[in-house]
Amino acid sequence: MRKSISKIFLIAISISMVLLIILLSFFMNEEITMEDLCGNRNALGDMNIVYQKSRGSYETDQIIISKNKEEVKKYVKAGCRGFSVSKKNIENRDIFQYINSFSDICENNDEIASISMGSDYSFYDSNNMMVYINLKNKKTKKIKEYKIEMEEGINLDSVYKVLPVRNNDNIYLAIISSLYNENSLGNNDIYKQTYLNLYKINLSTQKSKCIISKSYEASEMNVSNENGFVRGNVCYFLVNMKNKKNGEMETCLFAFNVITKDVNVTNLKIGNKEITNYYVDDNEVLLSSEFDDESEKLQIITVNLNTYNVKKINEINVTCREDKNKNIVDMREDKNKIFIIMSESSYDGSFDADMNYYIYVINKENNKNLYKGKIKEKNIENIDFGILKKEEI
């Protein structure tokens, strides 16, 4: 009898604790601190600022800020960390978890694939470069996994960017890599050689073949950063190239068609500043440069991907507190407007410090700031943003 009472008591206590935790998670949830700083929030139009905030392995909140209201959805399905929040990210998180950015994805009408590369640390050979492919059928949701050895490996002592293109039963991998200079004495000779490689991966035979291997002097061209994107059969890399007139290294867009093998290099006219974010919209790409510490401005460049002409350069004032680290989290272009989300954090590394996020809506034609808003958050590490239309949420 006593054992039965004890069991009932323990069960009641357990249920009470679970209910208490659930109730506390709702009532202790902090309200959204959203402040309209200038302009009218109606400038958002049909665009929504969406972000996910993870409090633990199984607790993710999704906050949606529109022109009319703020909305919190609790215990939602989380997307992959480090990616822009979107329906596509959330629905494909089972294969996106193995990659670092959306540029590691290629797809056709029936399948979507995530591509990653790494060394195969086997007992016999610890330096074989492998390509790992997770191929998901969009209709059945079934996933096929491939592990294919590269015919000629990329030197691991290098910085490289890989861009994949799907073409029928083949996946093309275009790679630009800059080999580190072991005897480097400073910033000017950090690399000793740069390579453009093109591989053809046959999914049926699970074999790879190196089609192109071209070498460049590192003083003439090297990898700028890890950003890059694909449009059709063309891979777009960001590289530093030597200006033949003044001898300076300048940031350029390196376009390489994996089918025709054509190359086009476009000087972005921003000096040697790095490109921090991009957004591709039909025949145009929107690019943002790193911040200029003195003017506290960044440049927005729009490049026509058919003509490779730099169509427009805007300087946008994104002034924040001087003691803060500023970083563009996400950006997008729609209906002649540029949408930017920028983070502002301190350098002290404190997890208790507030994180501020700024929303900008800018008229693309006249550079007028239509709206600026501010979001204050306590959670620093586990937040991912997206700029989305209703059907993309």
Side-chain angles (χ1 to χ4, degrees), residues 313-328:
I313 295 181
N314 286 340
E315 279 198 336
I316 298 173
N317 192 328
V318 286
T319 303
C320 296
R321 287 174 49 183
E322 293 182 358
D323 61 339
K324 295 293 183 177
N325 182 24
K326 298 170 284 291
N327 181 50
I328 290 186

Side-chain angles (χ1 to χ4, degrees), residues 30 60 70 155 157 163 199 212 255 280 316 382 392:
E30 298 177 12
T60 299
E70 298 104 39
N155 194 309
D157 192 22
L163 292 175
Y199 295 87
I212 289 177
V280 182
I316 298 173
N382 302 317
E392 298 168 335

Side-chain angles (χ1 to χ4, degrees), residues 8 10-11 32 48 75 102 107 114 120 225 230 233 256 274 294 296 300 317 329 331 351-352 381-382:
I8 293 171
L10 287 172
I11 292 171
I32 303 171
N48 299 272
Y75 297 102
F102 282 132
E107 60 183 308
S114 64
D120 181 26
N225 59 29
V230 174
N233 294 323
F256 174 60
E274 285 194 357
E294 294 183 3
E296 290 212 334
I300 298 293
N317 192 328
V329 177
M331 63 186 299
F351 289 94
D352 296 324
E381 293 295 317
N382 302 317

Side-chain angles (χ1 to χ4, degrees), residues 155-319:
N155 194 309
L156 295 178
D157 192 22
S158 65
V159 57
Y160 59 88
K161 178 62 183 176
V162 183
L163 292 175
V165 174
R166 181 72 184 271
N167 186 273
N168 298 321
D169 197 40
N170 301 311
I171 291 179
Y172 291 89
L173 298 182
I175 306 172
I176 290 185
S177 59
S178 293
L179 185 65
Y180 286 115
N181 183 2
E182 298 175 357
N183 302 314
S184 174
L185 299 175
N187 294 330
N188 294 330
D189 63 345
I190 187 172
Y191 304 116
K192 64 180 180 181
Q193 203 72 37
T194 295
Y195 300 92
L196 169 64
N197 290 337
L198 177 64
Y199 295 87
K200 183 178 181 181
I201 311 292
N202 188 290
L203 295 176
S204 296
T205 62
Q206 298 190 35
K207 298 291 184 181
S208 73
K209 183 179 181 180
C210 185
I211 301 174
I212 289 177
S213 182
K214 187 176 181 180
S215 175
Y216 298 84
E217 293 296 324
S219 59
E220 301 294 326
M221 184 179 86
N222 55 65
V223 176
S224 175
N225 59 29
E226 295 183 357
N227 281 320
F229 59 94
V230 174
R231 174 179 168 268
N233 294 323
V234 183
C235 297
Y236 297 89
F237 298 89
L238 290 162
V239 299
N240 297 315
M241 294 201 74
K242 187 175 183 179
N243 187 315
K244 294 181 180 180
K245 293 182 179 180
N246 58 25
E248 298 292 329
M249 298 296 283
E250 298 181 347
T251 304
C252 297
L253 191 65
F254 186 100
F256 174 60
N257 190 309
V258 301
I259 304 300
T260 66
K261 315 302 186 297
D262 291 335
V263 171
N264 188 285
V265 178
T266 303
N267 190 318
L268 297 179
K269 303 177 184 178
I270 59 170
N272 63 354
K273 288 187 174 64
E274 285 194 357
I275 295 297
T276 58
N277 288 83
Y278 68 91
Y279 178 77
V280 182
D281 184 23
D282 294 329
N283 300 322
E284 189 174 79
V285 62
L286 183 73
L287 301 168
S288 68
S289 74
E290 61 183 326
F291 290 99
D292 184 288
D293 292 332
E294 294 183 3
S295 66
E296 290 212 334
K297 293 181 179 181
L298 61 84
Q299 290 179 308
I300 298 293
I301 308 104
T302 56
V303 182
N304 186 301
L305 297 177
N306 291 328
T307 63
Y308 299 112
N309 290 327
V310 179
K311 293 175 59 179
K312 194 180 187 77
I313 295 181
N314 286 340
E315 279 198 336
I316 298 173
N317 192 328
V318 286
T319 303

Side-chain angles (χ1 to χ4, degrees), residues 49-101:
I49 306 301
V50 181
Y51 66 100
Q52 289 191 342
K53 178 167 58 174
S54 300
R55 299 176 181 273
S57 300
Y58 302 100
E59 186 180 353
T60 299
D61 296 345
Q62 182 160 289
I63 295 88
I64 304 172
I65 299 171
S66 66
K67 64 181 180 181
N68 299 318
K69 61 180 181 179
E70 298 104 39
E71 180 183 4
V72 179
K73 295 183 178 180
K74 296 186 66 65
Y75 297 102
V76 300
K77 186 176 180 180
C80 283
R81 294 298 330 285
F83 287 80
S84 293
V85 175
S86 67
K87 183 188 294 184
K88 184 175 183 178
N89 175 5
I90 295 168
E91 290 179 348
N92 295 288
R93 64 178 184 175
D94 46 1
I95 64 171
F96 287 4
Q97 61 182 310
Y98 305 107
I99 57 178
N100 297 317
S101 70

Side-chain angles (χ1 to χ4, degrees), residues 30-33 51 53 55 63 352-357 375-380 383 385:
E30 298 177 12
E31 294 183 359
I32 303 171
T33 306
Y51 66 100
K53 178 167 58 174
R55 299 176 181 273
I63 295 88
D352 296 324
D354 290 339
M355 173 74 91
N356 296 323
Y357 295 93
I375 304 168
K376 182 175 286 188
E377 272 288 356
K378 290 288 185 183
N379 191 330
I380 292 179
I383 293 180
F385 276 86

